[in-house]
């Protein structure tokens, strides 16, 4: 891997981690196009941390607010009955990621095999692009009042967590499927996006810690500089990608991304069957 490839992969990770178009799927395709047989797992893990660190920085005020509200539970001796949603939100977010962590661990060996399947990426890219848009249309058709982040319940976050676990399959999109899970709970799209980002922070950090236990065999000082370049790139691009996601998905919904995903899936299949991928 050279510095150009490291920057490109950092840009792709930062941009696609938050947009509903799948970072893993795009990284797999990019590796094929750039002629990288397989990126260092150390490199991939670190640039993912770069992108999610951008989310921590972007939502730092909200995260500090949630942390302070959660500490109020201590004064109430963790009495859930007298606690407000704001005070419980931090605890609920941590509980909601448990299904994702369990399912990811159970299918960890299969995930490694799925990473090499271009056809799988093409299929999931197309299918879930349509699924997201159908869910959005259903959400718009619901006439009752939409749920806001201040009134969200634990069971709603748990369902979002179950949806988030589907993102272990390349091409699905962690942010997209988690937002869709929120919409199915009739949560406002803006709040579903914000919850998706907040739920992604502990999941990716937990997954990264687990990966670190196994990736040091993949570490070498030759990849260290490229990893730092990729980390910085994914952080910077990720920060602006969050703004982009909040703007486009919040205002335009999933339709532009459905079109993009269908076009991308078609291109992947054409290049694959032409022997170019």
């Amino acid at each position: 891997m050279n510095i150009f490839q490291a920057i490109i992969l950092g840009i792709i990770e930062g941009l696609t981690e938050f947009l509903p178009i799948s970072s893993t799927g795009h990284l797999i395709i990019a590796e094929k196009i750039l002629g990288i047989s397989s990126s260092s797992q150390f490199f991939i893990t670190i640039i993912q941390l770069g992108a999610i660190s951008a989310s921590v920085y972007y939502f730092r005020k909200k995260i500090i607010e949630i942390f302070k509200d959660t500490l109020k539970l201590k004064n109430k001796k963790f009495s859930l009955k007298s606690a407000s949603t704001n005070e419980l939100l931090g605890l609920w977010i941590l509980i909601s990621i448990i299904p994702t962590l369990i399912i990811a661990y159970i299918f960890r060996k299969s995930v490694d095999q799925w990473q090499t399947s271009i056809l799988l990426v093409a299929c999931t890219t197309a299918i879930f692009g349509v699924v997201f848009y159908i869910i959005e249309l259903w959400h718009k058709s619901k006439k009752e009042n939409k749920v806001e982040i201040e009134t969200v319940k634990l069971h709603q976050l748990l369902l979002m967590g179950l949806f988030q676990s589907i993102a272990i399959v390349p091409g699905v999109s962690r942010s997209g499927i988690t937002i869709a899970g929120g919409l199915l709970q009739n949560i406002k799209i803006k709040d579903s996006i914000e919850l998706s980002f907040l739920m992604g922070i502990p999941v990716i950090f937990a997954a990264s810690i687990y990966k670190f236990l196994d990736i040091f065999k993949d570490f070498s000082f030759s990849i260290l500089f490229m990893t730092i370049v990729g980390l910085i790139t994914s952080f910077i691009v990720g920060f602006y990608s969050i703004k982009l996601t909040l703007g486009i998905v919040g205002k335009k919904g999933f339709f532009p991304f459905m079109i993009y995903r269908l076009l991308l899936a078609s291109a992947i299949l054409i290049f694959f069957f032409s022997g170019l991928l």
Side-chain angles (χ1 to χ4, degrees):
M1 181 185 299
N2 56 45
I3 190 169
F4 171 77
Q5 292 170 328
I7 292 173
I8 293 298
L9 293 179
I11 291 173
I12 291 172
E13 169 59 32
L15 183 62
T16 59
E17 181 62 48
F18 304 108
L19 291 172
I21 53 178
S22 176
S23 61
T24 305
H26 279 74
L27 287 173
I28 291 171
I29 296 166
E31 287 177 348
K32 295 286 185 181
I33 294 173
L34 294 172
I36 304 172
S37 57
S38 179
S39 294
S40 161
Q41 281 302 305
F42 179 82
F43 175 85
I44 294 298
T45 300
I46 294 299
I47 65 171
Q48 287 175 335
L49 282 175
I52 209 64
S53 294
S55 181
V56 173
Y57 181 72
Y58 189 91
F59 289 105
R60 61 192 182 280
K61 291 182 180 178
K62 183 69 176 180
I63 293 170
I64 292 171
E65 179 186 323
I66 290 173
F67 182 73
K68 287 181 177 178
D69 285 338
T70 303
L71 288 179
K72 293 177 183 177
L73 287 174
K74 185 179 179 181
N75 298 328
K76 297 182 179 181
K77 297 181 180 179
F78 289 92
S79 174
L80 302 184
K81 290 183 179 179
S82 61
S84 66
T85 298
N86 285 341
E87 291 168 345
L88 290 169
L89 186 59
L91 181 62
W92 284 354
I93 286 175
L94 291 178
I95 294 173
S96 72
I97 70 170
I98 292 175
T100 306
L101 298 178
I102 292 174
I103 292 173
Y105 181 77
I106 292 172
F107 290 98
R108 64 191 184 282
K109 293 183 179 179
S110 298
V111 170
D112 291 336
Q113 297 174 351
W114 295 338
Q115 301 286 345
T116 61
S117 177
I118 292 293
L119 281 178
L120 177 62
V121 172
C123 291
T124 52
T125 295
I127 292 170
F128 281 92
V130 175
V131 168
F132 294 161
Y133 183 57
I134 290 173
I135 290 174
E136 181 196 343
L137 291 178
W138 175 87
H139 179 261
K140 287 180 177 178
S141 71
K142 300 293 285 184
K143 301 301 180 184
E144 58 262 36
N145 292 333
K146 307 297 182 186
V147 177
E148 298 181 342
I149 196 169
E150 291 80 11
T151 56
V152 71
K153 304 298 182 184
L154 176 58
H155 72 272
Q156 294 170 321
L157 289 176
L158 279 171
L159 185 64
M160 290 180 71
L162 280 172
F163 268 72
Q164 183 170 235
S165 67
I166 301 172
I168 64 173
V169 182
V172 172
S173 169
R174 188 206 59 78
S175 62
I177 196 68
T178 313
I179 294 168
L183 297 184
L184 282 176
Q185 295 298 294
N186 205 33
I187 300 172
K188 284 184 176 180
I189 189 164
K190 179 180 178 296
D191 294 296
S192 293
I193 296 169
E194 188 169 322
L195 284 169
S196 167
F197 291 160
L198 292 173
M199 290 171 67
I201 292 170
V203 162
I204 295 178
F205 273 119
S208 297
I209 291 171
Y210 174 78
K211 286 180 184 178
F212 271 125
L213 299 176
D214 191 49
I215 62 175
F216 281 113
K217 66 178 185 296
D218 200 30
F219 172 77
S220 67
F221 284 103
S222 62
I223 196 68
L224 183 59
F225 176 71
M226 300 305 169
T227 302
I228 294 172
V229 170
L231 168 69
I232 295 172
T233 305
S234 65
F235 178 88
I236 295 171
V237 176
F239 180 81
Y240 290 102
S241 177
I242 293 170
K243 290 186 175 182
L244 188 64
T245 304
L246 288 168
I248 298 179
V249 181
K251 295 177 182 177
K252 303 293 184 180
F254 282 121
F255 181 74
F257 299 100
M258 178 185 70
I259 299 301
Y260 170 79
R261 290 174 71 117
L262 290 174
L263 290 173
L264 178 62
S266 299
I268 293 171
L269 290 174
I270 290 171
F271 284 116
F272 178 81
F273 287 109
S274 300
L276 299 174
L277 275 180

